[in-house]
Amino acid sequence: MKNVLKIANKLRSSGLRPTKQRIQIAKFLFEREKTFHFTVEELDRWINLKNKEEKISLATFYNTVHAFKKAGHLKEILTSNHKSYFDTHTGPHHHFFDLENNKLTDIDSEKIKLKDIPNAPKGKSIKDIDVVINIENDSH
């Protein structure tokens, strides 16, 4: 019961009413040991495969994920394959992107040293820096 209340509060803080479907999505995303990366389409597939009798619409997945992103519960990573991936780890870190498997792997932010970062355009400030390193198998 305590976890459902925690999830409901997370939904409310994102400006979402804690419906049964949204609670199910939030539990899937946030009640786990490790953080993970996903696309909205993958999330739809994973949850709706388990939930045969009450399907959640793709629009509900998109709206919920984007509301979580806006509230700071998820981080969006844009990759070279022009897809948006989402990450439950919202702290500072970077990623490897495997071009063949379309998978992201975290890189600790301490492992990458950035220098000579340009100033933001006038009237703007740098919010954060995301480095995505594309990788492929050695045989290429």
Side-chain angles (χ1 to χ4, degrees), residues 75-118:
K75 184 176 187 175
E76 185 174 15
I77 299 104
L78 301 172
T79 61
S80 60
N81 69 350
H82 307 291
K83 274 194 171 186
S84 286
Y85 287 79
F86 294 88
D87 192 346
T88 57
H89 176 6
T90 58
H93 68 289
H94 307 291
H95 294 93
F96 284 118
F97 180 67
D98 186 323
L99 295 165
E100 289 150 289
N101 299 317
N102 293 327
K103 295 287 179 208
L104 288 167
T105 306
D106 289 346
I107 303 170
D108 188 306
S109 62
E110 301 297 314
K111 300 282 184 195
I112 294 180
K113 302 291 181 221
L114 300 170
K115 72 180 227 182
D116 300 329
I117 298 168

Side-chain angles (χ1 to χ4, degrees), residues 5-96:
L5 189 59
K6 190 176 169 183
I7 292 289
N9 287 337
K10 189 177 280 251
L11 285 162
R12 284 188 192 98
S13 77
S14 305
L16 294 170
R17 210 167 34 89
T19 64
K20 184 178 173 184
Q21 293 176 323
R22 290 175 180 155
I23 288 172
Q24 186 178 2
I25 293 168
K27 286 176 78 165
F28 184 87
L29 292 174
F30 304 116
E31 288 185 350
R32 51 181 61 239
E33 292 286 315
K34 289 181 152 188
T35 60
F36 77 111
H37 309 99
F38 63 94
T39 64
V40 174
E41 293 82 5
E42 288 172 332
L43 187 64
D44 172 22
R45 230 180 8 260
W46 294 329
I47 290 178
N48 280 329
L49 269 177
K50 289 182 183 177
N51 189 19
K52 301 244 187 275
E53 63 281 345
E54 288 185 43
K55 298 279 188 210
I56 298 172
S57 75
L58 188 57
T60 298
F61 283 108
Y62 271 103
N63 292 337
T64 303
V65 165
H66 284 283
F68 282 158
K69 179 190 136 193
K70 187 175 178 183
H73 302 309
L74 293 173
K75 184 176 187 175
E76 185 174 15
I77 299 104
L78 301 172
T79 61
S80 60
N81 69 350
H82 307 291
K83 274 194 171 186
S84 286
Y85 287 79
F86 294 88
D87 192 346
T88 57
H89 176 6
T90 58
H93 68 289
H94 307 291
H95 294 93
F96 284 118

